Amino acid sequence: MIDTAKTIQKKTAKAIFWSITELAGAMVVQFVLGILLARLLSPAEFGVIGMINIFLALSLLFIDSGLGQALIFKKDATKTDENTLFCFNVAVGMVVAVAMAASGGWIADFYRMPQLKSICMVLALNPLFNAFGIVQFTLLKKTLNFRPMTYVTLTAVALSGVAGVIAAYCGLGVWALVLQNLLNNFLRTVLLWILGGWRPSWQFSWHSFRELGTYGSKVLASGMTEVVFKNLYSVIIGKLYTSAMLGFYNKAYSLEQLPGRFLQNIIARVSFSSFASLNGNSRELKRHFRESLRLFLVIALPTMALMGLLARPLVLFLITDKWGPAVPFLQILCVSSPLYLLQILEGNLLKALGFPGIFFVQDVLKKALLVILVCFFYNRGVETLIWIDAGATFVAFLMMRMFNMHQIRYEWKEQLQDCLPYAGLTLLMGCGVFVLSRFTSAWAPFWQLAAGGATGAVLYLTPGIFFREPLMTRMVCWGKHLCEEYWERIGRRRESC
């Protein structure tokens, strides 16, 4: 059992490395291309695409229907299970594509924007593209083989992003964003077929479908509510406010998601697979969960706090003052982001323990609270809506934490020991950067960012390293080891030449 746990730890470490490589690379590419697109296009044009994000997200969810996670959870999955999932994905993808194209007129009427009809008809190709690559993606994720996914993601993001920038420069407006979205999904599926190594056969088993569906249906139900409520604000803002206001909200959300999505994808990809592998070994599962939590806290808390404190110079420097109204939205999102990431980590533990039903019930309670609050305060402004979402996320996190702590015997005292050091360092950093910002408010945005970022890094890292905080010390040693290994390789290459 110990050898198995060590093997899983090694595979998890490799998976984390390649996930970080993939997501960091994609984040950098999207960051650069997003700046260019934001400078070339207007907030209203970004808002138009934001209006149909919910339909794109739902289409992908229906195609998978939770069966992908069921395949990961099933330890004795067979080739028949894989082929059954592929046949299901393709069949549902065709149905969803037709439904999306046919509903384009209704969507355009709902938002009173005729242009959306033709956009929906073109983007209806996305479900078809995605359907043919889900099994390859799932199997790579199940085996924690993230190296091919790194190549797939970076290539697809880079090529589609460059195409979108060229289209925007040529004056295609919102169609540049449509082209980027469509090309990204097409390239991603093609590359998954080339690098994934899995090939389907047209074999469908009702027995396999029922086995996968028992688990997947609960994941689907939870995923549906998550997608609907995640995009609820886009629908409300697009309907009640203006497309420009939706553009400001979506741009703030996309900026927050640069670090937020980076951490979210690592947590979602690696934690569920590794937690599920340790199910039945409560001691190792608890230790692995605590390490995952500490690793998340040491990175997420200071990153999101620093972004929130430097939101104004960040927006003004990167995408100019025409996006200024997005600043308060970004600041609030930086507060809610760590809560949402913690909720994902707890939810993956809950599902890995074999309680998708409990996960669904708690998710429904969160959404019910959110609906009630939105019904009362939907007309109080976008900032109020974002604060409501943060509060509902915090409640959901507490519910999951209270259930999970009894399953793996992770008591409150241990949780405080794990969380307080990083929360204290983040508070120290935040106070220092806030005070500094009062004196540098008249500086150019770039110098505000440089001064605030440097001050924040020093205030956060120095005490942790000085007092030999275990995780920080280990990360420093790991960084030194990587640098030494890199220079050794360069030296060997020079000697060989």
Side-chain angles (χ1 to χ4, degrees):
M1 185 68 72
I2 295 175
D3 291 337
T4 302
K6 288 182 177 179
T7 301
I8 292 170
Q9 288 174 17
K10 291 181 179 179
K11 291 181 69 176
T12 301
K14 290 183 179 179
I16 291 174
F17 171 77
W18 282 107
S19 280
I20 290 175
T21 302
E22 174 196 353
L23 296 170
M27 183 176 69
V28 171
V29 173
Q30 289 176 332
F31 177 71
V32 174
L33 295 172
I35 292 173
L36 295 175
L37 287 170
R39 288 172 175 266
L40 291 169
L41 302 174
S42 69
E45 287 168 327
F46 277 90
V48 170
I49 292 296
M51 292 176 179
I52 58 175
N53 278 343
I54 185 172
F55 304 103
L56 296 174
L58 282 174
S59 68
L60 180 60
L61 183 68
F62 279 119
I63 294 168
D64 180 67
S65 294
L67 302 187
Q69 286 203 34
L71 190 66
I72 293 174
F73 184 76
K74 188 176 181 181
K75 295 183 178 180
D76 57 345
T78 64
K79 184 73 173 179
T80 301
D81 295 325
E82 297 165 4
N83 287 320
T84 298
L85 177 57
F86 178 79
C87 294
F88 175 81
N89 293 155
V90 173
V92 176
M94 292 179 179
V95 173
V96 171
V98 172
M100 186 171 176
S103 62
W106 177 82
I107 296 172
D109 292 338
F110 176 78
Y111 287 111
R112 297 179 182 177
M113 190 166 290
Q115 189 181 18
L116 285 175
K117 181 177 180 179
S118 54
I119 292 175
C120 287
M121 294 182 70
V122 174
L123 288 178
L125 292 171
N126 267 341
L128 284 177
F129 295 155
N130 289 323
F132 281 90
I134 288 178
V135 175
Q136 288 88 340
F137 176 82
T138 300
L139 293 178
L140 291 172
K141 187 176 178 182
K142 181 181 177 73
T143 57
L144 298 178
N145 185 12
F146 290 94
R147 184 172 183 171
M149 292 167 58
T150 302
Y151 302 141
V152 169
T153 300
L154 293 181
T155 304
V157 168
L159 293 179
S160 63
V162 170
V165 170
I166 293 173
Y169 182 77
C170 294
L172 294 184
V174 69
W175 286 102
L177 299 175
V178 174
L179 174 64
Q180 181 190 21
N181 189 292
L182 204 62
L183 189 58
N184 180 54
N185 285 282
F186 173 76
L187 290 173
R188 186 171 179 273
T189 297
V190 170
L191 292 170
L192 280 171
W193 274 71
I194 295 173
L195 300 177
W198 183 86
R199 293 294 181 269
S201 60
W202 296 103
Q203 178 187 12
F204 184 85
S205 168
W206 283 107
H207 176 71
S208 294
F209 179 71
R210 284 192 293 269
E211 281 190 336
L212 296 174
T214 301
Y215 184 95
S217 59
K218 298 180 179 67
V219 177
L220 172 63
S222 176
M224 283 181 61
T225 56
E226 183 66 27
V227 167
V228 169
F229 284 91
K230 188 176 181 180
N231 292 275
L232 177 65
Y233 288 176
S234 293
V235 176
I236 294 175
I237 297 169
K239 179 66 176 176
L240 299 181
Y241 298 89
T242 64
S243 59
M245 185 62 71
L246 179 56
F248 292 132
Y249 170 76
N250 282 342
K251 181 52 65 176
Y253 183 77
S254 66
L255 286 174
E256 176 269 324
Q257 285 289 288
L258 286 171
R261 184 173 56 190
F262 174 76
L263 296 166
Q264 176 184 333
N265 284 334
I266 292 175
I267 293 170
R269 289 180 179 187
V270 178
S271 63
F272 177 72
S273 300
S274 57
F275 290 164
S277 300
L278 292 170
N279 189 11
N281 186 350
S282 58
R283 183 176 179 180
E284 285 296 327
L285 181 58
K286 175 184 176 180
R287 189 178 67 81
H288 191 66
F289 177 80
R290 292 184 70 178
E291 287 185 353
S292 300
L293 177 62
R294 288 194 293 264
L295 182 61
F296 156 76
L297 290 172
V298 76
I299 299 172
L301 287 183
T303 300
M304 302 316 301
L306 197 60
M307 175 175 270
L309 289 165
L310 300 176
R312 179 166 293 280
L314 180 69
V315 169
L316 297 182
F317 174 69
L318 294 178
I319 50 181
T320 72
D321 56 357
K322 72 178 179 181
W323 291 93
V327 170
F329 303 160
L330 176 58
Q331 291 172 327
I332 304 172
L333 287 169
C334 287
V335 174
S336 64
S337 181
L339 298 174
Y340 182 69
L341 295 170
L342 283 170
Q343 180 195 341
I344 293 175
L345 188 66
E346 295 286 353
N348 281 344
L349 176 60
L350 192 60
K351 288 183 286 186
L353 288 168
F355 296 105
I358 300 295
F359 175 79
F360 174 67
V361 170
Q362 293 183 340
D363 198 51
V364 168
L365 291 175
K366 171 195 171 183
K367 301 305 187 297
L369 175 63
L370 187 62
V371 167
I372 293 172
L373 293 175
V374 167
C375 287
F376 280 100
F377 301 104
Y378 69 91
N379 59 347
R380 297 293 183 89
V382 178
E383 293 181 36
T384 302
L385 293 176
I386 303 175
W387 278 118
I388 288 173
D389 184 62
T393 301
F394 179 68
V395 171
F397 160 70
L398 285 182
M399 289 192 294
M400 292 183 185
R401 179 85 296 273
M402 292 180 69
F403 183 86
N404 285 336
M405 66 180 287
H406 296 296
Q407 299 300 317
I408 60 173
R409 301 185 183 279
Y410 185 25
E411 302 299 331
W412 286 110
K413 182 179 179 181
E414 295 175 300
Q415 296 173 46
L416 290 175
Q417 290 174 347
D418 290 337
C419 297
L420 283 180
Y422 310 113
L425 289 172
T426 301
L427 180 61
L428 173 65
M429 179 201 73
C431 291
V433 174
F434 178 78
V435 171
L436 177 67
S437 67
R438 303 299 95 185
F439 295 96
T440 61
S441 58
W443 293 10
F446 172 80
W447 294 113
Q448 291 183 54
L449 285 173
T455 302
V458 170
L459 290 176
Y460 184 77
L461 294 175
T462 302
I465 296 173
F466 180 79
F467 290 105
R468 297 187 178 275
E469 196 284 321
L471 183 56
M472 285 189 176
T473 303
R474 197 162 60 190
M475 290 175 69
V476 171
C477 293
W478 185 45
K480 288 181 179 179
H481 175 71
L482 289 177
C483 291
E484 290 172 357
E485 190 176 280
Y486 173 76
W487 287 112
E488 284 179 6
R489 288 181 180 178
I490 292 179
R492 287 196 296 265
R493 288 179 182 177
R494 288 177 178 175
E495 290 176 359
S496 62
C497 295

